[in-house]
Amino acid sequence: MAARTGARLLEGPGPFIMGIVNATPDSFSDGGRYLALADAVAGAERMAEEGADLVDLGGESTRPGAAEVPVDEELRRIVPVVERLRARGFRLPISVDTSKGEVARAALAAGADLVNDVRAGDDPELLAAVAGSGARLVLMHSRGTPADMDSRAVYEDVVAEVVAELRAAIERAEAAGVAPGRIVVDPGIGFAKTTAQNLALLQRLDALRALGRPLLVGPSRKRFIGALTGAPVDERLPGTLAAVAACVLAGVEIVRVHDVPEARQAADVAAAIRDGAAPPPAR
Ligand code: HH2
């Protein structure tokens, strides 16, 4: 497949594909695959060839029940990957999936462009690091920690509450100096949500538009697909692609996926149907 020319994130027409590289031993679907530095670098470079618009490097699993990773270990897993990719001239934006200020700061210094925080700016040091760097920030909705998030999936109106909690997170980030135009929001599919709540959010993505920020959604291989279809985690690609298409039809700017070439195709076709136009020739 030909390499893409690499439109700058959120500056081209989109939709943008965020490829997942988890440098962890225990992530729910790709745990162990990218733990070694060389494997993580090769995985990111392969995703760039396959049509990703950015890659998301993670050093800590956030699946329900996952163990917390000490900051030194998370730094050791992530920072050398960013450094090596930048040294090799990697042409895509690099996102770092972390909730720790120290990790965010070090990754940004090493050349990351975006911090993807599944705790929506809970750590003031993370917000300060992003504010000082001019990087982008993803604020993802969740409640509690991996240890207790399943028991926190209690809402009267999941859509209204997720919107309100993301609005509070945006205010906290802006008060800490993050530029309003640098913030992306994410409803946090699978984080403190039941299958019915995930579906409600995916049906009502328009409600998140009230926040006035680009949207990111991460449905890839998640439990709700297994709950709907009975498919085990390594057989959820078709369900993932259905969710990717639904997100793109709803106008989501960024989709976070493990399977880049398949999601690229699904997203481009969905976008062409949505817009009634062929995608740009680079695709
Ligand atoms: N989902 C996961 C991790 N990070 N970030 C955003 N913004 N949105 C998501 O939906 C999201 C995320 C969980 O998926 P994965 O990285 O594959 O697994 P693990 O947390 O086990 O590493």
Side-chain angles (χ1 to χ4, degrees), residues 22 27-28 61-62 97 116 140 186 191 218 222 256 258:
N22 282 319
S27 285
F28 80 94
S61 174
T62 50
D97 189 342
N116 172 25
M140 194 204 78
D186 180 340
F191 286 80
K222 284 197 173 155
R256 181 182 181 275
H258 300 90

Side-chain angles (χ1 to χ4, degrees), residues 67-155:
E68 220 181 289
V69 175
V71 65
D72 284 356
E73 176 63 16
E74 204 180 323
L75 285 166
R76 201 188 59 72
R77 290 178 186 175
I78 286 184
V79 176
V81 183
V82 180
E83 286 170 349
R84 181 77 67 88
L85 283 170
R86 287 294 173 236
R88 287 167 60 86
F90 188 68
R91 63 191 166 80
L92 298 185
I94 298 173
S95 161
V96 172
D97 189 342
T98 188
S99 297
K100 297 189 181 81
E102 208 177 323
V103 176
R105 194 178 294 282
L108 291 169
D113 305 277
L114 187 148
V115 175
N116 172 25
D117 185 5
V118 301
R119 296 198 187 174
D122 207 30
D123 179 355
E125 200 196 324
L126 183 144
L127 295 178
V130 174
S133 71
R136 287 188 193 272
L137 174 64
V138 177
L139 296 171
M140 194 204 78
H141 180 271
S142 186
R143 284 181 178 176
T145 65
D148 70 354
M149 65 168 77
D150 280 349
S151 65
R152 305 282 303 273
V154 181
Y155 304 83

Side-chain angles (χ1 to χ4, degrees), residues 32-45:
R33 186 167 173 196
Y34 303 115
L35 187 56
L37 171 61
D39 292 339
V41 170
E45 291 182 341

